[in-house]
Amino acid sequence: MNIIFFGAPGAGKGTQAEIVSQKLNIPTISTGAIIRAAIKAGTDMGKSAQSYIEKGNLVPDEVVIGIIKDRLGEDDCRKGFILDGFPRTIPQAEALDRMGIKIDVVLELFVPDDEIVTRMSGRRVCPKCGATYHTKFNPSTAGENCDKCGDVLSIRKDDAPEVVKSRLVVYHNETEPLKEYYGNKGLVRTVVGQEKLEDTTKLTLEALGI
Ligand code: AP5
């Protein structure tokens, strides 16, 4: 199954995508995670993307389209994949179509903007293995350390409240029109994000029919 996870920043795409990825044994491809890894490694792409990410703006289309084209060409994508955070603009979706990639489902996770701001303020991430937690809704059993690899958890720079607000504006202006783009193809299934993570998972698996 080729799945797109779609929704506002902080709607829970990464959290649910990870669960579905394990269940279906297919990779999750997160453009955000790929770009953050490039920034950490200090590559040319990372250096040029850093200022966009930190201000909550989108990285230019040609950069992310190149990332996706390379990644989807890898062997582990042959039996299916989850795209988390791509496409984010109409030109990105059109580029995906031109690559000849068939999408089976676009899973929208809907969470209202005011809830998003609360969620982002409690997000903690592991800089080493990429695991995501929430201080209240999904805490690490190891406190301020990652319960998967033990590293000290950190706060993403783009989770600062003023950056979250800009990311939401960018989402509504540039990414939300994709709902109509894929809606016209009959591919969109919407799940309303629940306060309990496992309730959202149940609805997500039902919507995907797995
Ligand atoms: P990216 O990393 O993709 O960020 P995002 O889409 O903004 O999404 P997030 O990772 O912030 O949130 P999420 O929906 O995955 O939520 P999560 O599961 O973590 O992109 C970052 C940046 O990279 C962009 O701003 C842009 O600059 C650039 N970029 C990336 N892709 C690009 C592209 N295609 N084009 C151009 N630029 C691109 O959950 C959030 C929190 O809520 C967590 O703490 C979690 O534990 C908690 N939570 C999850 N589910 C629940 C629940 N049900 N109840 C309560 N809490 C919950």
Side-chain angles (χ1 to χ4, degrees), residues 8-15 30-33 35-36 52-53 56-59 64 84-88 92 119-120 122-124 132-134 137-138 156 158 167 194-197 200:
K13 304 181 295 296
T15 303
S30 159
T31 37
I35 297 166
R36 281 187 292 278
Y52 293 98
I53 286 222
N57 293 325
L58 295 182
V59 173
V64 277
D84 165 15
F86 184 94
R88 253 178 158 98
Q92 291 180 19
R119 282 190 187 193
M120 302 295 239
R123 174 159 59 182
R124 297 292 181 270
T132 298
Y133 302 91
H134 191 284
F137 303 120
N138 182 26
R156 265 169 56 172
D158 61 348
R167 288 165 68 196
Q194 305 294 306
E195 190 166 310
K196 279 195 185 151
L197 212 143
T200 307

mmCIF file of all heavy atoms in Angstrom, residues 8-15 30-33 35-36 52-53 56-59 64 84-88 92 119-120 122-124 132-134 137-138 156 158 167 194-197 200, ligand 1:
data_model
loop_
_atom_site.group_PDB
_atom_site.id
_atom_site.type_symbol
_atom_site.label_atom_id
_atom_site.label_comp_id
_atom_site.label_asym_id
_atom_site.label_seq_id
_atom_site.Cartn_x
_atom_site.Cartn_y
_atom_site.Cartn_z
ATOM 1 N N ALA A 8 -2.140 19.008 9.490
ATOM 2 C CA ALA A 8 -1.404 20.174 9.991
ATOM 3 C C ALA A 8 -0.156 19.734 10.752
ATOM 4 O O ALA A 8 -0.076 18.589 11.209
ATOM 5 C CB ALA A 8 -2.319 20.977 10.915
ATOM 6 N N PRO A 9 0.818 20.641 10.909
ATOM 7 C CA PRO A 9 1.975 20.322 11.734
ATOM 8 C C PRO A 9 1.504 19.945 13.136
ATOM 9 O O PRO A 9 0.648 20.616 13.700
ATOM 10 C CB PRO A 9 2.781 21.631 11.758
ATOM 11 C CG PRO A 9 1.855 22.696 11.290
ATOM 12 C CD PRO A 9 0.877 22.014 10.382
ATOM 13 N N GLY A 10 2.017 18.836 13.651
ATOM 14 C CA GLY A 10 1.655 18.437 15.006
ATOM 15 C C GLY A 10 0.341 17.684 15.113
ATOM 16 O O GLY A 10 -0.111 17.366 16.206
ATOM 17 N N ALA A 11 -0.287 17.341 13.981
ATOM 18 C CA ALA A 11 -1.571 16.631 14.039
ATOM 19 C C ALA A 11 -1.388 15.178 14.481
ATOM 20 O O ALA A 11 -2.353 14.501 14.819
ATOM 21 C CB ALA A 11 -2.262 16.684 12.682
ATOM 22 N N GLY A 12 -0.142 14.705 14.459
ATOM 23 C CA GLY A 12 0.117 13.324 14.889
ATOM 24 C C GLY A 12 0.497 12.409 13.735
ATOM 25 O O GLY A 12 0.485 11.189 13.872
ATOM 26 N N LYS A 13 0.867 12.989 12.600
ATOM 27 C CA LYS A 13 1.201 12.180 11.408
ATOM 28 C C LYS A 13 2.368 11.232 11.694
ATOM 29 O O LYS A 13 2.298 10.048 11.413
ATOM 30 C CB LYS A 13 1.573 13.087 10.213
ATOM 31 C CG LYS A 13 0.510 14.107 9.849
ATOM 32 C CD LYS A 13 0.927 14.953 8.663
ATOM 33 C CE LYS A 13 2.131 15.829 8.898
ATOM 34 N NZ LYS A 13 1.946 16.882 9.926
ATOM 35 N N GLY A 14 3.444 11.795 12.246
ATOM 36 C CA GLY A 14 4.636 10.985 12.501
ATOM 37 C C GLY A 14 4.349 9.855 13.481
ATOM 38 O O GLY A 14 4.788 8.719 13.283
ATOM 39 N N THR A 15 3.575 10.163 14.526
ATOM 40 C CA THR A 15 3.247 9.166 15.554
ATOM 41 C C THR A 15 2.455 8.011 14.947
ATOM 42 O O THR A 15 2.787 6.843 15.123
ATOM 43 C CB THR A 15 2.416 9.834 16.686
ATOM 44 O OG1 THR A 15 3.171 10.929 17.212
ATOM 45 C CG2 THR A 15 2.080 8.859 17.790
ATOM 46 N N SER A 30 9.777 10.480 5.922
ATOM 47 C CA SER A 30 9.425 11.808 6.443
ATOM 48 C C SER A 30 10.420 12.815 5.878
ATOM 49 O O SER A 30 11.614 12.762 6.220
ATOM 50 C CB SER A 30 9.482 11.792 7.979
ATOM 51 O OG SER A 30 9.632 13.112 8.469
ATOM 52 N N THR A 31 9.931 13.722 5.040
ATOM 53 C CA THR A 31 10.853 14.724 4.472
ATOM 54 C C THR A 31 11.422 15.597 5.590
ATOM 55 O O THR A 31 12.596 15.956 5.560
ATOM 56 C CB THR A 31 10.149 15.592 3.400
ATOM 57 O OG1 THR A 31 8.804 15.833 3.790
ATOM 58 C CG2 THR A 31 10.183 14.942 2.052
ATOM 59 N N GLY A 32 10.605 15.893 6.616
ATOM 60 C CA GLY A 32 11.096 16.700 7.738
ATOM 61 C C GLY A 32 12.276 16.016 8.418
ATOM 62 O O GLY A 32 13.308 16.636 8.698
ATOM 63 N N ALA A 33 12.138 14.689 8.669
ATOM 64 C CA ALA A 33 13.217 13.952 9.352
ATOM 65 C C ALA A 33 14.469 13.899 8.473
ATOM 66 O O ALA A 33 15.586 14.033 8.977
ATOM 67 C CB ALA A 33 12.738 12.541 9.692
ATOM 68 N N ILE A 35 15.395 16.086 6.240
ATOM 69 C CA ILE A 35 16.029 17.418 6.220
ATOM 70 C C ILE A 35 16.731 17.695 7.560
ATOM 71 O O ILE A 35 17.854 18.198 7.588
ATOM 72 C CB ILE A 35 14.983 18.522 5.897
ATOM 73 C CG1 ILE A 35 14.395 18.306 4.497
ATOM 74 C CG2 ILE A 35 15.621 19.908 5.979
ATOM 75 C CD1 ILE A 35 13.127 19.111 4.214
ATOM 76 N N ARG A 36 16.071 17.318 8.679
ATOM 77 C CA ARG A 36 16.712 17.549 9.987
ATOM 78 C C ARG A 36 18.017 16.750 10.106
ATOM 79 O O ARG A 36 19.006 17.238 10.649
ATOM 80 C CB ARG A 36 15.757 17.188 11.142
ATOM 81 C CG ARG A 36 14.731 18.276 11.424
ATOM 82 C CD ARG A 36 13.915 17.992 12.675
ATOM 83 N NE ARG A 36 13.029 16.855 12.516
ATOM 84 C CZ ARG A 36 11.831 16.918 11.923
ATOM 85 N NH1 ARG A 36 11.372 18.044 11.437
ATOM 86 N NH2 ARG A 36 11.082 15.836 11.813
ATOM 87 N N TYR A 52 14.991 27.936 6.401
ATOM 88 C CA TYR A 52 13.558 27.755 6.079
ATOM 89 C C TYR A 52 12.866 27.051 7.245
ATOM 90 O O TYR A 52 11.815 27.478 7.719
ATOM 91 C CB TYR A 52 13.376 26.896 4.822
ATOM 92 C CG TYR A 52 13.869 27.534 3.548
ATOM 93 C CD1 TYR A 52 15.118 27.218 3.028
ATOM 94 C CD2 TYR A 52 13.075 28.447 2.857
ATOM 95 C CE1 TYR A 52 15.567 27.798 1.846
ATOM 96 C CE2 TYR A 52 13.519 29.025 1.676
ATOM 97 C CZ TYR A 52 14.766 28.699 1.183
ATOM 98 O OH TYR A 52 15.209 29.267 0.026
ATOM 99 N N ILE A 53 13.449 25.934 7.689
ATOM 100 C CA ILE A 53 12.837 25.132 8.764
ATOM 101 C C ILE A 53 12.694 25.958 10.038
ATOM 102 O O ILE A 53 11.644 25.963 10.671
ATOM 103 C CB ILE A 53 13.707 23.881 9.068
ATOM 104 C CG1 ILE A 53 13.553 22.853 7.960
ATOM 105 C CG2 ILE A 53 13.338 23.289 10.409
ATOM 106 C CD1 ILE A 53 13.439 21.414 8.423
ATOM 107 N N GLY A 56 9.866 28.201 10.041
ATOM 108 C CA GLY A 56 8.559 27.580 9.818
ATOM 109 C C GLY A 56 8.102 27.672 8.379
ATOM 110 O O GLY A 56 6.934 27.437 8.065
ATOM 111 N N ASN A 57 9.028 28.021 7.466
ATOM 112 C CA ASN A 57 8.670 28.092 6.045
ATOM 113 C C ASN A 57 8.957 26.763 5.346
ATOM 114 O O ASN A 57 9.719 25.938 5.866
ATOM 115 C CB ASN A 57 9.491 29.194 5.351
ATOM 116 C CG ASN A 57 9.102 30.562 5.864
ATOM 117 O OD1 ASN A 57 7.936 30.800 6.170
ATOM 118 N ND2 ASN A 57 10.067 31.454 5.978
ATOM 119 N N LEU A 58 8.382 26.607 4.164
ATOM 120 C CA LEU A 58 8.645 25.383 3.405
ATOM 121 C C LEU A 58 9.999 25.482 2.707
ATOM 122 O O LEU A 58 10.385 26.554 2.226
ATOM 123 C CB LEU A 58 7.551 25.151 2.355
ATOM 124 C CG LEU A 58 6.144 24.870 2.887
ATOM 125 C CD1 LEU A 58 5.187 24.607 1.720
ATOM 126 C CD2 LEU A 58 6.143 23.673 3.838
ATOM 127 N N VAL A 59 10.687 24.367 2.655
ATOM 128 C CA VAL A 59 11.928 24.264 1.891
ATOM 129 C C VAL A 59 11.515 24.260 0.408
ATOM 130 O O VAL A 59 10.430 23.746 0.070
ATOM 131 C CB VAL A 59 12.647 22.957 2.313
ATOM 132 C CG1 VAL A 59 13.861 22.675 1.456
ATOM 133 C CG2 VAL A 59 13.026 23.026 3.789
ATOM 134 N N VAL A 64 12.925 19.248 -2.053
ATOM 135 C CA VAL A 64 12.205 18.091 -1.489
ATOM 136 C C VAL A 64 11.799 17.092 -2.565
ATOM 137 O O VAL A 64 11.809 15.882 -2.331
ATOM 138 C CB VAL A 64 10.962 18.500 -0.650
ATOM 139 C CG1 VAL A 64 11.346 18.865 0.747
ATOM 140 C CG2 VAL A 64 10.181 19.580 -1.270
ATOM 141 N N ASP A 84 5.207 10.886 4.885
ATOM 142 C CA ASP A 84 4.812 11.732 6.018
ATOM 143 C C ASP A 84 5.423 13.118 5.787
ATOM 144 O O ASP A 84 6.622 13.296 5.902
ATOM 145 C CB ASP A 84 5.355 11.085 7.309
ATOM 146 C CG ASP A 84 5.324 12.029 8.513
ATOM 147 O OD1 ASP A 84 4.649 13.068 8.444
ATOM 148 O OD2 ASP A 84 5.982 11.707 9.519
ATOM 149 N N GLY A 85 4.566 14.073 5.403
ATOM 150 C CA GLY A 85 5.078 15.438 5.184
ATOM 151 C C GLY A 85 5.392 15.741 3.729
ATOM 152 O O GLY A 85 5.967 16.779 3.429
ATOM 153 N N PHE A 86 5.014 14.867 2.833
ATOM 154 C CA PHE A 86 5.172 15.088 1.394
ATOM 155 C C PHE A 86 3.996 14.428 0.692
ATOM 156 O O PHE A 86 3.657 13.310 1.063
ATOM 157 C CB PHE A 86 6.488 14.476 0.877
ATOM 158 C CG PHE A 86 6.727 14.764 -0.588
ATOM 159 C CD1 PHE A 86 7.484 15.852 -0.983
ATOM 160 C CD2 PHE A 86 6.168 13.942 -1.575
ATOM 161 C CE1 PHE A 86 7.687 16.129 -2.333
ATOM 162 C CE2 PHE A 86 6.358 14.225 -2.921
ATOM 163 C CZ PHE A 86 7.125 15.309 -3.293
ATOM 164 N N PRO A 87 3.379 15.041 -0.319
ATOM 165 C CA PRO A 87 3.625 16.391 -0.801
ATOM 166 C C PRO A 87 3.006 17.443 0.121
ATOM 167 O O PRO A 87 2.089 17.153 0.885
ATOM 168 C CB PRO A 87 2.935 16.393 -2.163
ATOM 169 C CG PRO A 87 1.845 15.375 -2.048
ATOM 170 C CD PRO A 87 2.333 14.336 -1.091
ATOM 171 N N ARG A 88 3.510 18.672 -0.001
ATOM 172 C CA ARG A 88 3.029 19.774 0.828
ATOM 173 C C ARG A 88 2.586 20.951 -0.018
ATOM 174 O O ARG A 88 2.138 21.961 0.536
ATOM 175 C CB ARG A 88 4.164 20.238 1.717
ATOM 176 C CG ARG A 88 4.034 19.874 3.161
ATOM 177 C CD ARG A 88 5.284 20.384 3.830
ATOM 178 N NE ARG A 88 5.119 20.565 5.226
ATOM 179 C CZ ARG A 88 5.500 19.672 6.136
ATOM 180 N NH1 ARG A 88 5.998 18.526 5.768
ATOM 181 N NH2 ARG A 88 5.362 19.939 7.408
ATOM 182 N N GLN A 92 4.428 19.861 -5.728
ATOM 183 C CA GLN A 92 5.027 18.609 -5.235
ATOM 184 C C GLN A 92 4.140 17.409 -5.586
ATOM 185 O O GLN A 92 4.627 16.344 -5.974
ATOM 186 C CB GLN A 92 5.239 18.669 -3.718
ATOM 187 C CG GLN A 92 6.324 19.650 -3.285
ATOM 188 C CD GLN A 92 6.524 19.700 -1.781
ATOM 189 O OE1 GLN A 92 6.138 18.797 -1.039
ATOM 190 N NE2 GLN A 92 7.139 20.781 -1.310
ATOM 191 N N ARG A 119 -0.356 20.784 21.765
ATOM 192 C CA ARG A 119 0.410 19.563 21.537
ATOM 193 C C ARG A 119 1.885 19.855 21.298
ATOM 194 O O ARG A 119 2.756 19.190 21.828
ATOM 195 C CB ARG A 119 -0.122 18.831 20.301
ATOM 196 C CG ARG A 119 -1.378 18.068 20.569
ATOM 197 C CD ARG A 119 -1.660 17.198 19.378
ATOM 198 N NE ARG A 119 -2.952 16.552 19.488
ATOM 199 C CZ ARG A 119 -3.341 15.567 18.718
ATOM 200 N NH1 ARG A 119 -2.540 15.118 17.774
ATOM 201 N NH2 ARG A 119 -4.530 15.035 18.869
ATOM 202 N N MET A 120 2.140 20.882 20.491
ATOM 203 C CA MET A 120 3.532 21.173 20.135
ATOM 204 C C MET A 120 4.339 21.639 21.342
ATOM 205 O O MET A 120 5.533 21.400 21.415
ATOM 206 C CB MET A 120 3.594 22.268 19.077
ATOM 207 C CG MET A 120 2.844 21.925 17.838
ATOM 208 S SD MET A 120 3.588 20.550 17.023
ATOM 209 C CE MET A 120 3.949 21.317 15.484
ATOM 210 N N GLY A 122 4.253 20.508 24.212
ATOM 211 C CA GLY A 122 4.684 19.383 25.057
ATOM 212 C C GLY A 122 5.500 18.344 24.297
ATOM 213 O O GLY A 122 5.882 17.322 24.864
ATOM 214 N N ARG A 123 5.763 18.588 23.018
ATOM 215 C CA ARG A 123 6.493 17.562 22.249
ATOM 216 C C ARG A 123 7.962 17.504 22.672
ATOM 217 O O ARG A 123 8.616 18.518 22.853
ATOM 218 C CB ARG A 123 6.402 17.835 20.744
ATOM 219 C CG ARG A 123 7.269 16.852 19.964
ATOM 220 C CD ARG A 123 6.897 16.699 18.529
ATOM 221 N NE ARG A 123 6.961 17.915 17.768
ATOM 222 C CZ ARG A 123 6.626 17.995 16.490
ATOM 223 N NH1 ARG A 123 6.179 16.920 15.867
ATOM 224 N NH2 ARG A 123 6.700 19.135 15.860
ATOM 225 N N ARG A 124 8.475 16.306 22.811
ATOM 226 C CA ARG A 124 9.899 16.078 23.054
ATOM 227 C C ARG A 124 10.366 15.048 22.019
ATOM 228 O O ARG A 124 9.615 14.113 21.708
ATOM 229 C CB ARG A 124 10.147 15.500 24.461
ATOM 230 C CG ARG A 124 9.725 16.429 25.592
ATOM 231 C CD ARG A 124 10.608 17.686 25.685
ATOM 232 N NE ARG A 124 10.187 18.554 26.795
ATOM 233 C CZ ARG A 124 9.286 19.522 26.684
ATOM 234 N NH1 ARG A 124 8.685 19.758 25.525
ATOM 235 N NH2 ARG A 124 8.972 20.265 27.742
ATOM 236 N N THR A 132 9.412 10.185 19.114
ATOM 237 C CA THR A 132 8.659 11.383 19.513
ATOM 238 C C THR A 132 7.810 11.088 20.742
ATOM 239 O O THR A 132 7.168 10.040 20.814
ATOM 240 C CB THR A 132 7.728 11.815 18.354
ATOM 241 O OG1 THR A 132 8.528 12.154 17.238
ATOM 242 C CG2 THR A 132 6.886 13.018 18.732
ATOM 243 N N TYR A 133 7.792 12.017 21.677
ATOM 244 C CA TYR A 133 7.010 11.867 22.901
ATOM 245 C C TYR A 133 6.207 13.144 23.146
ATOM 246 O O TYR A 133 6.416 14.156 22.486
ATOM 247 C CB TYR A 133 7.934 11.646 24.111
ATOM 248 C CG TYR A 133 8.828 10.450 23.966
ATOM 249 C CD1 TYR A 133 10.102 10.578 23.392
ATOM 250 C CD2 TYR A 133 8.411 9.185 24.367
ATOM 251 C CE1 TYR A 133 10.924 9.471 23.239
ATOM 252 C CE2 TYR A 133 9.230 8.072 24.221
ATOM 253 C CZ TYR A 133 10.486 8.227 23.655
ATOM 254 O OH TYR A 133 11.295 7.125 23.500
ATOM 255 N N HIS A 134 5.324 13.060 24.149
ATOM 256 C CA HIS A 134 4.642 14.256 24.628
ATOM 257 C C HIS A 134 4.672 14.206 26.144
ATOM 258 O O HIS A 134 4.411 13.146 26.729
ATOM 259 C CB HIS A 134 3.195 14.302 24.119
ATOM 260 C CG HIS A 134 2.542 15.627 24.352
ATOM 261 N ND1 HIS A 134 2.088 16.016 25.595
ATOM 262 C CD2 HIS A 134 2.316 16.661 23.525
ATOM 263 C CE1 HIS A 134 1.579 17.230 25.499
ATOM 264 N NE2 HIS A 134 1.719 17.654 24.253
ATOM 265 N N PHE A 137 0.728 13.578 27.025
ATOM 266 C CA PHE A 137 -0.093 12.586 26.322
ATOM 267 C C PHE A 137 0.660 11.299 25.960
ATOM 268 O O PHE A 137 0.046 10.262 25.722
ATOM 269 C CB PHE A 137 -0.679 13.187 25.034
ATOM 270 C CG PHE A 137 -1.490 14.432 25.263
ATOM 271 C CD1 PHE A 137 -1.140 15.636 24.681
ATOM 272 C CD2 PHE A 137 -2.616 14.393 26.078
ATOM 273 C CE1 PHE A 137 -1.884 16.787 24.892
ATOM 274 C CE2 PHE A 137 -3.373 15.540 26.302
ATOM 275 C CZ PHE A 137 -3.003 16.736 25.708
ATOM 276 N N ASN A 138 1.996 11.384 25.888
ATOM 277 C CA ASN A 138 2.772 10.206 25.477
ATOM 278 C C ASN A 138 4.179 10.313 26.071
ATOM 279 O O ASN A 138 5.172 10.421 25.357
ATOM 280 C CB ASN A 138 2.817 10.172 23.930
ATOM 281 C CG ASN A 138 3.561 8.965 23.398
ATOM 282 O OD1 ASN A 138 3.636 7.933 24.066
ATOM 283 N ND2 ASN A 138 4.130 9.100 22.206
ATOM 284 N N ARG A 156 12.245 20.558 19.602
ATOM 285 C CA ARG A 156 12.550 21.032 18.244
ATOM 286 C C ARG A 156 12.478 22.559 18.199
ATOM 287 O O ARG A 156 11.545 23.151 18.741
ATOM 288 C CB ARG A 156 11.535 20.435 17.245
ATOM 289 C CG ARG A 156 12.048 19.179 16.584
ATOM 290 C CD ARG A 156 10.965 18.455 15.816
ATOM 291 N NE ARG A 156 10.274 19.231 14.796
ATOM 292 C CZ ARG A 156 9.414 18.713 13.935
ATOM 293 N NH1 ARG A 156 9.143 17.419 13.952
ATOM 294 N NH2 ARG A 156 8.806 19.469 13.047
ATOM 295 N N ASP A 158 11.628 24.425 15.826
ATOM 296 C CA ASP A 158 10.417 24.920 15.154
ATOM 297 C C ASP A 158 9.149 24.632 15.958
ATOM 298 O O ASP A 158 8.050 24.844 15.466
ATOM 299 C CB ASP A 158 10.321 24.409 13.706
ATOM 300 C CG ASP A 158 10.238 22.901 13.583
ATOM 301 O OD1 ASP A 158 10.478 22.203 14.591
ATOM 302 O OD2 ASP A 158 9.922 22.413 12.482
ATOM 303 N N ARG A 167 3.881 28.109 10.981
ATOM 304 C CA ARG A 167 3.734 26.830 10.267
ATOM 305 C C ARG A 167 2.265 26.547 9.963
ATOM 306 O O ARG A 167 1.936 25.989 8.923
ATOM 307 C CB ARG A 167 4.333 25.700 11.107
ATOM 308 C CG ARG A 167 5.859 25.751 11.137
ATOM 309 C CD ARG A 167 6.430 24.881 12.226
ATOM 310 N NE ARG A 167 6.237 23.465 11.999
ATOM 311 C CZ ARG A 167 6.381 22.525 12.942
ATOM 312 N NH1 ARG A 167 6.708 22.865 14.168
ATOM 313 N NH2 ARG A 167 6.199 21.265 12.643
ATOM 314 N N GLN A 194 -7.867 12.181 18.187
ATOM 315 C CA GLN A 194 -8.480 12.063 19.509
ATOM 316 C C GLN A 194 -7.473 12.456 20.585
ATOM 317 O O GLN A 194 -6.268 12.448 20.341
ATOM 318 C CB GLN A 194 -8.931 10.615 19.739
ATOM 319 C CG GLN A 194 -9.852 10.081 18.666
ATOM 320 C CD GLN A 194 -11.193 10.795 18.635
ATOM 321 O OE1 GLN A 194 -11.879 10.878 19.642
ATOM 322 N NE2 GLN A 194 -11.558 11.318 17.474
ATOM 323 N N GLU A 195 -7.987 12.743 21.781
ATOM 324 C CA GLU A 195 -7.049 13.146 22.829
ATOM 325 C C GLU A 195 -6.132 11.993 23.205
ATOM 326 O O GLU A 195 -4.948 12.177 23.451
ATOM 327 C CB GLU A 195 -7.799 13.660 24.049
ATOM 328 C CG GLU A 195 -6.835 14.294 25.027
ATOM 329 C CD GLU A 195 -7.517 15.105 26.093
ATOM 330 O OE1 GLU A 195 -8.370 15.943 25.754
ATOM 331 O OE2 GLU A 195 -7.200 14.870 27.262
ATOM 332 N N LYS A 196 -6.690 10.757 23.204
ATOM 333 C CA LYS A 196 -5.838 9.606 23.531
ATOM 334 C C LYS A 196 -5.239 9.066 22.247
ATOM 335 O O LYS A 196 -5.963 8.749 21.288
ATOM 336 C CB LYS A 196 -6.666 8.512 24.213
ATOM 337 C CG LYS A 196 -6.871 8.765 25.670
ATOM 338 C CD LYS A 196 -7.353 7.490 26.346
ATOM 339 C CE LYS A 196 -7.683 7.731 27.790
ATOM 340 N NZ LYS A 196 -8.720 6.846 28.271
ATOM 341 N N LEU A 197 -3.935 8.924 22.280
ATOM 342 C CA LEU A 197 -3.200 8.460 21.115
ATOM 343 C C LEU A 197 -3.741 7.126 20.562
ATOM 344 O O LEU A 197 -3.924 6.949 19.356
ATOM 345 C CB LEU A 197 -1.769 8.277 21.601
ATOM 346 C CG LEU A 197 -0.651 8.504 20.658
ATOM 347 C CD1 LEU A 197 0.486 9.140 21.405
ATOM 348 C CD2 LEU A 197 -0.249 7.203 20.076
ATOM 349 N N THR A 200 -6.825 7.433 18.455
ATOM 350 C CA THR A 200 -6.527 7.882 17.085
ATOM 351 C C THR A 200 -5.980 6.701 16.268
ATOM 352 O O THR A 200 -6.327 6.530 15.097
ATOM 353 C CB THR A 200 -5.489 9.026 17.092
ATOM 354 O OG1 THR A 200 -5.943 10.046 17.975
ATOM 355 C CG2 THR A 200 -5.287 9.603 15.706
HETATM 356 P P1 AP5 B 1 7.857 17.950 9.450
HETATM 357 O O1 AP5 B 1 8.882 17.298 10.271
HETATM 358 O O2 AP5 B 1 7.163 17.176 8.393
HETATM 359 O O3 AP5 B 1 6.830 18.607 10.439
HETATM 360 P P2 AP5 B 1 5.239 18.748 10.354
HETATM 361 O O4 AP5 B 1 4.480 18.268 9.190
HETATM 362 O O5 AP5 B 1 5.076 20.176 10.619
HETATM 363 O O6 AP5 B 1 4.770 17.731 11.342
HETATM 364 P P3 AP5 B 1 5.332 17.453 12.719
HETATM 365 O O7 AP5 B 1 6.476 16.483 12.656
HETATM 366 O O8 AP5 B 1 5.616 18.743 13.448
HETATM 367 O O9 AP5 B 1 4.091 16.827 13.440
HETATM 368 P P4 AP5 B 1 3.315 15.464 13.219
HETATM 369 O O10 AP5 B 1 2.015 15.683 12.522
HETATM 370 O O11 AP5 B 1 4.214 14.394 12.680
HETATM 371 O O12 AP5 B 1 2.948 15.190 14.737
HETATM 372 P P5 AP5 B 1 3.610 14.224 15.823
HETATM 373 O O13 AP5 B 1 3.248 12.804 15.546
HETATM 374 O O14 AP5 B 1 5.052 14.564 16.034
HETATM 375 O O15 AP5 B 1 8.445 19.244 8.716
HETATM 376 C C1 AP5 B 1 9.247 20.183 9.396
HETATM 377 C C2 AP5 B 1 9.711 21.259 8.414
HETATM 378 O O16 AP5 B 1 10.463 20.643 7.346
HETATM 379 C C3 AP5 B 1 8.604 22.036 7.699
HETATM 380 O O17 AP5 B 1 8.126 23.107 8.473
HETATM 381 C C4 AP5 B 1 9.356 22.485 6.423
HETATM 382 O O18 AP5 B 1 10.193 23.567 6.698
HETATM 383 C C5 AP5 B 1 10.235 21.299 6.095
HETATM 384 N N1 AP5 B 1 9.569 20.344 5.183
HETATM 385 C C6 AP5 B 1 9.245 19.050 5.456
HETATM 386 N N2 AP5 B 1 8.630 18.489 4.401
HETATM 387 C C7 AP5 B 1 8.571 19.443 3.439
HETATM 388 C C8 AP5 B 1 8.021 19.478 2.126
HETATM 389 N N3 AP5 B 1 7.396 18.394 1.596
HETATM 390 N N4 AP5 B 1 8.118 20.626 1.431
HETATM 391 C C9 AP5 B 1 8.741 21.709 1.928
HETATM 392 N N5 AP5 B 1 9.274 21.760 3.174
HETATM 393 C C10 AP5 B 1 9.183 20.627 3.926
HETATM 394 O O19 AP5 B 1 2.747 14.686 17.090
HETATM 395 C C11 AP5 B 1 2.902 15.989 17.630
HETATM 396 C C12 AP5 B 1 2.871 15.903 19.176
HETATM 397 O O20 AP5 B 1 1.572 15.521 19.596
HETATM 398 C C13 AP5 B 1 3.828 14.863 19.756
HETATM 399 O O21 AP5 B 1 4.361 15.353 20.943
HETATM 400 C C14 AP5 B 1 2.952 13.637 19.998
HETATM 401 O O22 AP5 B 1 3.452 12.816 21.045
HETATM 402 C C15 AP5 B 1 1.622 14.279 20.353
HETATM 403 N N6 AP5 B 1 0.477 13.488 19.931
HETATM 404 C C16 AP5 B 1 0.356 12.718 18.827
HETATM 405 N N7 AP5 B 1 -0.857 12.156 18.767
HETATM 406 C C17 AP5 B 1 -1.548 12.622 19.847
HETATM 407 C C18 AP5 B 1 -2.864 12.414 20.334
HETATM 408 N N8 AP5 B 1 -3.754 11.653 19.709
HETATM 409 N N9 AP5 B 1 -3.220 13.062 21.459
HETATM 410 C C19 AP5 B 1 -2.347 13.872 22.088
HETATM 411 N N10 AP5 B 1 -1.088 14.079 21.695
HETATM 412 C C20 AP5 B 1 -0.690 13.473 20.581
#
